[in-house]
Amino acid sequence: MSNSKATKIELNTRIKSVAGLPNRSLVRNAWQMSTDEFWNYQATAFKSLYEFARNRVPFYQKNLNDYPLLSSGDDNVLEILSQFPVLLKQTRRANNSDFWPSPLLPLTMFHTTSGTSGTPLRLSETLWEKGFYQAINEELFFRICGTPYPRSLYLTGFMTPSHGSEELFWRDPLFGNMALSIYSLNSRNRDPIIQLINNLKPQIIWGYTSAVHQLAVLLGDRALLSKEQCVTVVTSETLQPDWRADIENSMCRKLFNYYSSQEGCHLAVECPEGQMHINPRMGVVEILDEYDRPVKKGELGRVVVTGLLRKSMPLIRYELGDAAESTGYASDCSCGLKWPIIAQIEGRLENLVKTRDGRRIGMLGYSVLKDLPGVKESQIVQVGYEKFICNIVKFEADSVETEYLEKLIRDQLIKRLQTNVQIEFRYLSSIPRRGSRAKFSAVVVDFEDKDIPNHREAIV
């Protein structure tokens, strides 16, 4: 099977690859950095970005009291950053376009976040920045797969079969990579999925953590023919402690955790020894307490990041809403890489919607609620297997018809859950926050599933 969208994605990847060519040596050399070189680079890169932000970016120009000139003797990036306020998502959201430089940099493009932390954000990025990021990924692929262009299977929520269609996956005819719908991972499709993976013999399987685990449980003891030649990269969600063994036993020789954000402010990747190393080229990672001070080694704190790569959208001390454990920037990993490490990443584990047949489906906040016309904020609350509440905050000035909006949401939810659902739509002035820190959650699962069959038994 083929799909023009799959081909478009692959062509975009190749364009970014070409744009990243000038940075390949920088990316490759970073893997040889000593710990001192790591910190020296981050300090130098931040000073350059900071000067640009003060001179070209409206938000910082309007708040110069909070962002003063640096003294000439400043050379410790963590000490430099400690003098600035933590940037909250609410502030970022309320001043969205003020974080874009004026005038915009050449070849600037825009995309919208998932909105899993509230109102979606519009992010800017130049083609050259995309290329640099692509070069970073290609170097990672080379080190874990032996090639910068591995034969790939993507687990994706961007592609779903049309109504009544039997399509499970889309093959790009130009490069041969495949995209497998995460909404097709059920027992009915088990044999066809095993067949397509064995035919493809992927060198890398990449996807949302929950979807990769769902695939591993679906495969069960049906070992893949290419298992020993395949690695798996999981991203976007917290890797649960017992999921790693399921994934490695079923579908690959090694799993690698990949921790980043759509804002492009940081990247931490797992080495073969299981340590999460901070990539020096992407950004500075701080783990802070409630008073914006570094937490002690072994303690859990808020993840605050400062991007070094994107001058198209400089974010300084930006709080992601995630939590992670500090190692005190230890860098004595037995893998030989000298980049500092962070320990356990709690992340923002989106509640996984439960299905009657035992599946757990993630990223519905992204796939169902993103880019809804006339909607400021929205949230899905699951109160039964097929029963949902959808909370919506509309823009006051928008005239999008309610009937049209509700049909969009209902159709997307049915398409992804592959079952009929009942949805109660509630129109509110604000979305209720939950938890000790009153954090927004785009998806809330609010019912007990005591009668659900064993998860493993239900889908294998």
Side-chain angles (χ1 to χ4, degrees):
M1 305 178 193
S2 64
N3 184 282
S4 59
K5 189 172 183 180
T7 300
K8 181 180 178 181
I9 290 172
E10 289 294 337
L11 284 174
N12 286 339
T13 299
R14 294 307 185 267
I15 291 170
K16 290 185 290 185
S17 182
V18 172
L21 284 174
N23 299 307
R24 282 191 174 178
S25 60
L26 287 174
V27 170
R28 189 175 303 114
N29 292 342
W31 287 77
Q32 310 305 321
M33 281 183 178
S34 67
T35 304
D36 286 344
E37 289 170 334
F38 173 100
W39 289 115
N40 288 338
Y41 172 79
Q42 293 220 317
T44 301
F46 173 72
K47 290 177 183 179
S48 174
L49 177 130
Y50 184 67
E51 181 179 5
F52 176 86
R54 292 185 85 255
N55 291 328
R56 292 277 300 274
V57 180
F59 177 81
Y60 300 104
Q61 292 176 317
K62 294 175 182 178
N63 295 279
L64 291 178
N65 287 338
D66 288 330
Y67 300 96
L69 285 169
L70 300 179
S71 64
S72 58
D74 289 336
D75 57 5
N76 183 312
V77 70
L78 298 177
E79 291 182 2
I80 295 172
L81 289 171
S82 67
Q83 66 185 293
F84 305 130
V86 169
L87 175 62
L88 303 179
K89 286 203 173 187
Q90 301 94 290
T91 304
R92 167 77 177 87
R93 187 175 297 115
N95 300 274
N96 200 142
S97 61
D98 276 354
F99 286 90
W100 307 335
S102 180
L104 292 174
L105 297 174
L107 297 178
T108 293
M109 292 164 276
F110 296 91
H111 73 279
T112 305
T113 69
S114 65
T116 56
S117 57
T119 306
L121 300 173
R122 196 153 187 250
L123 309 179
S124 59
E125 188 176 14
T126 69
L127 175 60
W128 313 119
E129 291 166 348
K130 286 176 176 284
F132 202 128
Y133 189 29
Q134 180 65 23
I136 288 173
N137 280 332
E138 288 175 1
E139 182 64 22
L140 173 65
F141 296 157
F142 176 75
R143 290 175 179 274
I144 64 177
C145 298
T147 173
Y149 310 111
R151 192 166 51 255
S152 304
L153 175 67
Y154 303 104
L155 304 186
T156 177
F158 290 101
M159 299 180 183
T160 55
S162 56
H163 184 69
S165 171
E166 296 298 321
E167 288 184 314
L168 301 177
F169 66 94
W170 296 263
R171 182 195 295 272
D172 165 49
L174 294 180
F175 306 102
N177 295 326
M178 284 187 181
L180 174 64
S181 171
I182 64 175
Y183 308 111
S184 300
L185 301 178
N186 55 55
S187 57
R188 183 177 66 256
N189 297 322
R190 184 188 187 203
D191 289 340
I193 288 174
I194 292 173
Q195 182 178 351
L196 78 87
I197 297 176
N198 282 334
N199 289 340
L200 177 64
K201 296 181 176 62
Q203 296 167 290
I204 188 169
I205 298 175
W206 178 293
Y208 307 137
T209 308
S210 62
V212 174
H213 180 251
Q214 185 78 29
L215 176 59
V217 175
L218 179 67
L219 296 175
D221 57 1
R222 289 282 298 275
L224 300 177
L225 298 178
S226 59
K227 179 177 182 294
E228 295 308 316
Q229 287 75 48
C230 181
V231 300
T232 298
V233 176
V234 297
T235 186
S236 297
E237 300 167 320
T238 304
L239 177 62
Q240 298 302 300
D242 57 333
W243 288 5
R244 181 184 296 274
D246 289 338
I247 294 169
E248 291 186 339
N249 290 339
S250 175
M251 55 196 292
C252 65
R253 61 177 172 81
K254 183 67 178 176
L255 178 148
F256 293 92
N257 203 354
Y258 184 102
Y259 177 47
S260 64
S261 60
Q262 292 191 73
E263 291 86 351
C265 292
H266 79 296
L267 174 62
V269 294
E270 187 177 4
C271 73
E273 301 301 319
Q275 302 287 357
M276 296 295 295
H277 292 267
I278 302 168
N279 187 295
R281 303 293 188 195
M282 288 294 295
V284 184
V285 178
E286 299 177 85
I287 303 178
L288 306 179
D289 65 16
E290 58 183 319
Y291 303 106
D292 299 343
R293 301 174 305 198
V295 301
K296 296 179 181 178
K297 179 179 178 179
E299 292 184 354
L300 204 65
R302 303 145 52 212
V303 178
V304 173
V305 296
T306 299
L308 300 178
L309 180 57
R310 287 195 193 178
K311 287 188 174 179
S312 62
M313 188 189 63
L315 298 177
I316 298 171
R317 297 200 99 192
Y318 182 61
E319 183 172 358
L320 292 175
D322 293 344
E325 181 183 328
S326 174
T327 69
Y329 297 106
S331 57
D332 54 348
C333 182
S334 57
C335 77
L337 191 60
K338 300 301 181 183
W339 301 347
I341 60 179
I342 56 177
Q344 180 178 346
I345 301 165
E346 294 292 328
R348 185 169 40 240
L349 179 62
E350 183 187 38
N351 285 333
L352 304 182
V353 165
K354 308 169 185 178
T355 64
R356 193 173 293 276
D357 62 1
R359 289 176 290 142
R360 298 291 189 270
I361 297 179
M363 302 305 290
L364 285 179
Y366 188 93
S367 55
V368 176
L369 302 179
K370 181 183 178 184
D371 293 337
L372 293 173
V375 173
K376 183 179 181 181
E377 289 187 339
S378 52
Q379 178 187 62
I380 295 172
V381 182
Q382 185 182 25
V383 293
Y385 290 122
E386 294 88 24
K387 294 182 179 180
F388 296 84
I389 296 169
C390 185
N391 295 318
I392 295 174
V393 178
K394 297 183 71 175
F395 287 108
E396 292 182 4
D398 203 287
S399 60
V400 174
E401 293 184 3
T402 298
E403 183 178 352
Y404 170 74
L405 178 64
E406 292 181 2
K407 184 177 186 301
L408 278 180
I409 296 172
R410 183 178 289 106
D411 288 350
Q412 288 296 323
L413 200 56
I414 291 173
K415 189 176 185 180
R416 283 160 172 78
L417 296 182
Q418 300 182 344
T419 186
N420 289 324
V421 296
Q422 299 177 24
I423 308 176
E424 176 188 346
F425 291 93
R426 297 178 179 177
Y427 293 87
L428 310 172
S429 59
S430 63
I431 301 293
R433 266 56 175 172
R434 301 187 177 210
S436 59
R437 296 193 59 170
K439 289 172 59 176
F440 177 90
S441 180
V443 177
V444 175
V445 177
D446 196 16
F447 81 105
E448 296 293 330
D449 57 347
K450 296 179 181 178
D451 298 327
I452 196 169
N454 177 274
H455 181 42
R456 205 174 284 275
E457 293 176 353
I459 68 173
V460 298

PDB file of all heavy atoms in Angstrom, residues 203-221:
ATOM      1  N   GLN A 203      14.955  -1.799  10.757  1.00  0.00           N
ATOM      2  CA  GLN A 203      16.140  -1.609  11.585  1.00  0.00           C
ATOM      3  C   GLN A 203      15.823  -0.767  12.806  1.00  0.00           C
ATOM      4  O   GLN A 203      16.555  -0.800  13.790  1.00  0.00           O
ATOM      5  CB  GLN A 203      17.248  -0.958  10.752  1.00  0.00           C
ATOM      6  CG  GLN A 203      17.739  -1.831   9.608  1.00  0.00           C
ATOM      7  CD  GLN A 203      18.602  -1.046   8.633  1.00  0.00           C
ATOM      8  OE1 GLN A 203      18.110  -0.196   7.899  1.00  0.00           O
ATOM      9  NE2 GLN A 203      19.890  -1.325   8.629  1.00  0.00           N
ATOM     10  N   ILE A 204      14.747  -0.002  12.705  1.00  0.00           N
ATOM     11  CA  ILE A 204      14.326   0.812  13.843  1.00  0.00           C
ATOM     12  C   ILE A 204      12.802   0.902  13.859  1.00  0.00           C
ATOM     13  O   ILE A 204      12.161   1.019  12.815  1.00  0.00           O
ATOM     14  CB  ILE A 204      14.958   2.236  13.787  1.00  0.00           C
ATOM     15  CG1 ILE A 204      14.675   3.012  15.079  1.00  0.00           C
ATOM     16  CG2 ILE A 204      14.480   3.017  12.580  1.00  0.00           C
ATOM     17  CD1 ILE A 204      15.472   4.295  15.186  1.00  0.00           C
ATOM     18  N   ILE A 205      12.237   0.780  15.043  1.00  0.00           N
ATOM     19  CA  ILE A 205      10.809   1.010  15.270  1.00  0.00           C
ATOM     20  C   ILE A 205      10.698   2.208  16.197  1.00  0.00           C
ATOM     21  O   ILE A 205      11.320   2.243  17.260  1.00  0.00           O
ATOM     22  CB  ILE A 205      10.126  -0.222  15.888  1.00  0.00           C
ATOM     23  CG1 ILE A 205      10.214  -1.418  14.924  1.00  0.00           C
ATOM     24  CG2 ILE A 205       8.666   0.079  16.224  1.00  0.00           C
ATOM     25  CD1 ILE A 205       9.674  -2.714  15.504  1.00  0.00           C
ATOM     26  N   TRP A 206       9.936   3.186  15.791  1.00  0.00           N
ATOM     27  CA  TRP A 206       9.896   4.466  16.490  1.00  0.00           C
ATOM     28  C   TRP A 206       8.443   4.821  16.784  1.00  0.00           C
ATOM     29  O   TRP A 206       7.585   4.714  15.898  1.00  0.00           O
ATOM     30  CB  TRP A 206      10.520   5.535  15.584  1.00  0.00           C
ATOM     31  CG  TRP A 206      10.535   6.929  16.113  1.00  0.00           C
ATOM     32  CD1 TRP A 206       9.453   7.736  16.338  1.00  0.00           C
ATOM     33  CD2 TRP A 206      11.684   7.702  16.475  1.00  0.00           C
ATOM     34  NE1 TRP A 206       9.855   8.961  16.809  1.00  0.00           N
ATOM     35  CE2 TRP A 206      11.218   8.970  16.903  1.00  0.00           C
ATOM     36  CE3 TRP A 206      13.046   7.454  16.468  1.00  0.00           C
ATOM     37  CZ2 TRP A 206      12.076   9.983  17.316  1.00  0.00           C
ATOM     38  CZ3 TRP A 206      13.900   8.466  16.892  1.00  0.00           C
ATOM     39  CH2 TRP A 206      13.429   9.704  17.312  1.00  0.00           C
ATOM     40  N   GLY A 207       8.144   5.259  18.004  1.00  0.00           N
ATOM     41  CA  GLY A 207       6.774   5.669  18.272  1.00  0.00           C
ATOM     42  C   GLY A 207       6.534   6.087  19.701  1.00  0.00           C
ATOM     43  O   GLY A 207       7.431   6.063  20.553  1.00  0.00           O
ATOM     44  N   TYR A 208       5.283   6.501  19.963  1.00  0.00           N
ATOM     45  CA  TYR A 208       4.863   6.839  21.312  1.00  0.00           C
ATOM     46  C   TYR A 208       5.119   5.636  22.220  1.00  0.00           C
ATOM     47  O   TYR A 208       4.912   4.489  21.833  1.00  0.00           O
ATOM     48  CB  TYR A 208       3.383   7.178  21.361  1.00  0.00           C
ATOM     49  CG  TYR A 208       2.924   8.228  20.397  1.00  0.00           C
ATOM     50  CD1 TYR A 208       1.732   8.074  19.688  1.00  0.00           C
ATOM     51  CD2 TYR A 208       3.654   9.390  20.190  1.00  0.00           C
ATOM     52  CE1 TYR A 208       1.287   9.037  18.802  1.00  0.00           C
ATOM     53  CE2 TYR A 208       3.224  10.360  19.311  1.00  0.00           C
ATOM     54  CZ  TYR A 208       2.040  10.187  18.615  1.00  0.00           C
ATOM     55  OH  TYR A 208       1.598  11.136  17.734  1.00  0.00           O
ATOM     56  N   THR A 209       5.527   5.884  23.427  1.00  0.00           N
ATOM     57  CA  THR A 209       5.876   4.803  24.342  1.00  0.00           C
ATOM     58  C   THR A 209       4.720   3.829  24.539  1.00  0.00           C
ATOM     59  O   THR A 209       4.896   2.607  24.477  1.00  0.00           O
ATOM     60  CB  THR A 209       6.305   5.381  25.700  1.00  0.00           C
ATOM     61  OG1 THR A 209       7.311   6.380  25.488  1.00  0.00           O
ATOM     62  CG2 THR A 209       6.856   4.306  26.601  1.00  0.00           C
ATOM     63  N   SER A 210       3.526   4.348  24.773  1.00  0.00           N
ATOM     64  CA  SER A 210       2.380   3.474  25.014  1.00  0.00           C
ATOM     65  C   SER A 210       2.048   2.641  23.789  1.00  0.00           C
ATOM     66  O   SER A 210       1.657   1.476  23.898  1.00  0.00           O
ATOM     67  CB  SER A 210       1.159   4.295  25.435  1.00  0.00           C
ATOM     68  OG  SER A 210       0.770   5.196  24.409  1.00  0.00           O
ATOM     69  N   ALA A 211       2.205   3.217  22.587  1.00  0.00           N
ATOM     70  CA  ALA A 211       1.895   2.486  21.361  1.00  0.00           C
ATOM     71  C   ALA A 211       2.912   1.378  21.112  1.00  0.00           C
ATOM     72  O   ALA A 211       2.556   0.264  20.693  1.00  0.00           O
ATOM     73  CB  ALA A 211       1.853   3.441  20.172  1.00  0.00           C
ATOM     74  N   VAL A 212       4.196   1.658  21.365  1.00  0.00           N
ATOM     75  CA  VAL A 212       5.226   0.631  21.194  1.00  0.00           C
ATOM     76  C   VAL A 212       4.977  -0.523  22.167  1.00  0.00           C
ATOM     77  O   VAL A 212       5.102  -1.699  21.812  1.00  0.00           O
ATOM     78  CB  VAL A 212       6.628   1.228  21.383  1.00  0.00           C
ATOM     79  CG1 VAL A 212       7.689   0.129  21.363  1.00  0.00           C
ATOM     80  CG2 VAL A 212       6.935   2.245  20.285  1.00  0.00           C
ATOM     81  N   HIS A 213       4.623  -0.185  23.394  1.00  0.00           N
ATOM     82  CA  HIS A 213       4.327  -1.244  24.358  1.00  0.00           C
ATOM     83  C   HIS A 213       3.086  -2.026  23.941  1.00  0.00           C
ATOM     84  O   HIS A 213       3.043  -3.258  24.070  1.00  0.00           O
ATOM     85  CB  HIS A 213       4.132  -0.661  25.754  1.00  0.00           C
ATOM     86  CG  HIS A 213       3.831  -1.706  26.790  1.00  0.00           C
ATOM     87  ND1 HIS A 213       2.592  -1.839  27.370  1.00  0.00           N
ATOM     88  CD2 HIS A 213       4.602  -2.701  27.305  1.00  0.00           C
ATOM     89  CE1 HIS A 213       2.609  -2.851  28.215  1.00  0.00           C
ATOM     90  NE2 HIS A 213       3.818  -3.397  28.198  1.00  0.00           N
ATOM     91  N   GLN A 214       2.087  -1.326  23.428  1.00  0.00           N
ATOM     92  CA  GLN A 214       0.887  -2.003  22.951  1.00  0.00           C
ATOM     93  C   GLN A 214       1.236  -3.002  21.842  1.00  0.00           C
ATOM     94  O   GLN A 214       0.736  -4.135  21.819  1.00  0.00           O
ATOM     95  CB  GLN A 214      -0.110  -0.972  22.415  1.00  0.00           C
ATOM     96  CG  GLN A 214      -1.449  -1.545  21.988  1.00  0.00           C
ATOM     97  CD  GLN A 214      -2.349  -1.847  23.171  1.00  0.00           C
ATOM     98  OE1 GLN A 214      -2.247  -1.185  24.197  1.00  0.00           O
ATOM     99  NE2 GLN A 214      -3.208  -2.826  23.032  1.00  0.00           N
ATOM    100  N   LEU A 215       2.130  -2.593  20.940  1.00  0.00           N
ATOM    101  CA  LEU A 215       2.564  -3.494  19.870  1.00  0.00           C
ATOM    102  C   LEU A 215       3.307  -4.694  20.447  1.00  0.00           C
ATOM    103  O   LEU A 215       3.106  -5.835  20.007  1.00  0.00           O
ATOM    104  CB  LEU A 215       3.453  -2.744  18.884  1.00  0.00           C
ATOM    105  CG  LEU A 215       4.075  -3.577  17.758  1.00  0.00           C
ATOM    106  CD1 LEU A 215       3.001  -4.242  16.907  1.00  0.00           C
ATOM    107  CD2 LEU A 215       4.991  -2.712  16.891  1.00  0.00           C
ATOM    108  N   ALA A 216       4.167  -4.457  21.428  1.00  0.00           N
ATOM    109  CA  ALA A 216       4.927  -5.558  22.029  1.00  0.00           C
ATOM    110  C   ALA A 216       3.999  -6.589  22.672  1.00  0.00           C
ATOM    111  O   ALA A 216       4.192  -7.801  22.528  1.00  0.00           O
ATOM    112  CB  ALA A 216       5.904  -5.017  23.068  1.00  0.00           C
ATOM    113  N   VAL A 217       2.985  -6.108  23.380  1.00  0.00           N
ATOM    114  CA  VAL A 217       2.043  -7.019  24.021  1.00  0.00           C
ATOM    115  C   VAL A 217       1.224  -7.759  22.967  1.00  0.00           C
ATOM    116  O   VAL A 217       0.927  -8.949  23.104  1.00  0.00           O
ATOM    117  CB  VAL A 217       1.128  -6.250  24.996  1.00  0.00           C
ATOM    118  CG1 VAL A 217       0.064  -7.165  25.579  1.00  0.00           C
ATOM    119  CG2 VAL A 217       1.958  -5.636  26.118  1.00  0.00           C
ATOM    120  N   LEU A 218       0.880  -7.062  21.893  1.00  0.00           N
ATOM    121  CA  LEU A 218       0.145  -7.695  20.801  1.00  0.00           C
ATOM    122  C   LEU A 218       0.959  -8.826  20.172  1.00  0.00           C
ATOM    123  O   LEU A 218       0.442  -9.909  19.893  1.00  0.00           O
ATOM    124  CB  LEU A 218      -0.204  -6.655  19.744  1.00  0.00           C
ATOM    125  CG  LEU A 218      -0.965  -7.148  18.513  1.00  0.00           C
ATOM    126  CD1 LEU A 218      -2.355  -7.608  18.902  1.00  0.00           C
ATOM    127  CD2 LEU A 218      -1.030  -6.051  17.459  1.00  0.00           C
ATOM    128  N   LEU A 219       2.241  -8.595  19.971  1.00  0.00           N
ATOM    129  CA  LEU A 219       3.105  -9.620  19.376  1.00  0.00           C
ATOM    130  C   LEU A 219       3.276 -10.807  20.311  1.00  0.00           C
ATOM    131  O   LEU A 219       3.371 -11.955  19.878  1.00  0.00           O
ATOM    132  CB  LEU A 219       4.472  -9.017  19.039  1.00  0.00           C
ATOM    133  CG  LEU A 219       4.479  -7.910  17.976  1.00  0.00           C
ATOM    134  CD1 LEU A 219       5.875  -7.328  17.841  1.00  0.00           C
ATOM    135  CD2 LEU A 219       3.988  -8.424  16.637  1.00  0.00           C
ATOM    136  N   GLY A 220       3.357 -10.533  21.606  1.00  0.00           N
ATOM    137  CA  GLY A 220       3.508 -11.602  22.585  1.00  0.00           C
ATOM    138  C   GLY A 220       4.752 -12.429  22.333  1.00  0.00           C
ATOM    139  O   GLY A 220       5.846 -11.894  22.181  1.00  0.00           O
ATOM    140  N   ASP A 221       4.589 -13.752  22.253  1.00  0.00           N
ATOM    141  CA  ASP A 221       5.742 -14.634  22.066  1.00  0.00           C
ATOM    142  C   ASP A 221       6.030 -14.912  20.595  1.00  0.00           C
ATOM    143  O   ASP A 221       6.854 -15.766  20.277  1.00  0.00           O
ATOM    144  CB  ASP A 221       5.527 -15.958  22.806  1.00  0.00           C
ATOM    145  CG  ASP A 221       4.256 -16.677  22.353  1.00  0.00           C
ATOM    146  OD1 ASP A 221       3.562 -16.153  21.454  1.00  0.00           O
ATOM    147  OD2 ASP A 221       3.954 -17.753  22.907  1.00  0.00           O
TER     148      ASP A 221
END
